[in-house]
């Protein structure tokens, strides 16, 4: 069909070694699962083609070098977090894992979670619910509601004392986020003999939005909680 020809041209131009028919098969599977009608014209520029967990459990890593590097970096966090002297040099026990879309970040975090469970590390793969309209993902994710009311955020920006209003609202929202993170840990402590906890946040770019006059407000709340 017309859309398939459009996709084929896109794949040939951008991914030289791409197995076109396999990708088209996956595309049609995605379209069925998400309810996209075959007669719709397909936009190659829309934000996300598949759910974050699409085929994450059924695919196999071609190598484990990236996974080994990721695991060592997490181990370093545990090491310095338990060292009082090293802790003075860092803001919080975290690091940012940044790559282009579709390069396998979620897959690496999923595989780390499987490995961590064997090493007595409680590992949670978290999908921050920053958009109330987002589709529910598969069972590999913990849902974490970090949504901030748009109406309340706008209201905090108005009035005679804008700075004070922003501070009051931002403090209240920060406390709400702290409580949700505490609850997430307590829930898992109740069912596991927890010694170490690794929280892996996926699809977290909306946490960097400016809110209440603060850049990356929700990210900074999570970092402060850590």
């Amino acid at each position: 069909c017309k859309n398939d020809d459009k996709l084929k041209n896109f794949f040939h131009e951008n991914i030289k070694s791409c197995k076109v028919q396999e990708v088209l098969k996956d595309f049609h599977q995605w379209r069925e699962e998400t309810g996209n009608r075959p007669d719709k014209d397909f936009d190659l520029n829309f934000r996300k083609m598949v759910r974050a967990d699409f085929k994450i459990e059924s695919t196999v890593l071609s190598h484990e070098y990236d996974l080994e590097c990721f695991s060592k970096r997490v181990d370093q966090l545990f090491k310095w977090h338990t060292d009082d002297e090293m802790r003075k040099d860092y803001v919080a026990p975290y690091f940012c894992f940044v790559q282009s879309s579709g390069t396998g970040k979620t897959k690496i975090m999923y595989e780390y979670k499987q490995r961590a469970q064997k090493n007595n590390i409680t590992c949670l793969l978290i999908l921050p619910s920053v958009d109330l309209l987002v589709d529910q993902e598969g069972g590999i994710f913990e849902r974490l509601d970090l949504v901030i009311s748009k109406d309340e955020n706008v209201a905090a920006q108005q009035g005679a004392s804008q700075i004070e209003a922003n501070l009051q609202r931002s403090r209240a929202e920060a406390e709400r986020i702290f409580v949700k993170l505490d609850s997430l840990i307590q829930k898992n402590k109740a069912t596991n003999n927890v010694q170490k906890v690794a929280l892996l946040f996926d699809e977290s770019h909306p946490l960097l939005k400016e809110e209440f006059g603060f850049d990356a407000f929700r990210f900074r709340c999570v970092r402060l909680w850590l």
Side-chain angles (χ1 to χ4, degrees), residues 13 18 41 44 50 59 61 72 85 93 97 121 133 135 151 155 161 169 173 175 182 192 203-205 224:
E13 290 172 2
C18 176
D41 194 27
L44 291 173
V50 297
T59 54
L61 289 175
K72 288 178 181 178
E85 288 301 315
F97 181 27
I121 299 174
L133 300 178
D135 291 337
D151 293 338
S161 180
R169 187 65 188 129
E173 286 295 339
E175 288 296 333
D182 286 338
N192 300 290
E203 298 289 338
S204 297
H205 40 280
L224 182 58

Side-chain angles (χ1 to χ4, degrees), residues 77-110:
L77 292 186
F78 284 127
K79 181 179 179 181
W80 73 252
H81 188 56
T82 56
D83 187 312
D84 290 338
E85 288 301 315
M86 292 179 69
R87 287 177 69 173
K88 297 177 183 178
D89 297 330
Y90 296 91
V91 175
Y94 79 98
F95 66 92
C96 296
F97 181 27
V98 183
Q99 287 180 318
S100 299
S101 297
T103 52
K105 297 183 296 296
T106 302
K107 177 62 174 176
I108 290 175
M109 289 190 286
Y110 171 77

Side-chain angles (χ1 to χ4, degrees), residues 18 40 45 71 76 87 113 117 145 198 209 222:
C18 176
K40 279 187 178 180
N45 296 313
S71 300
Q76 288 174 347
R87 287 177 69 173
K113 178 182 177 182
Q117 291 172 343
D145 176 15
K209 290 171 59 178
V222 174

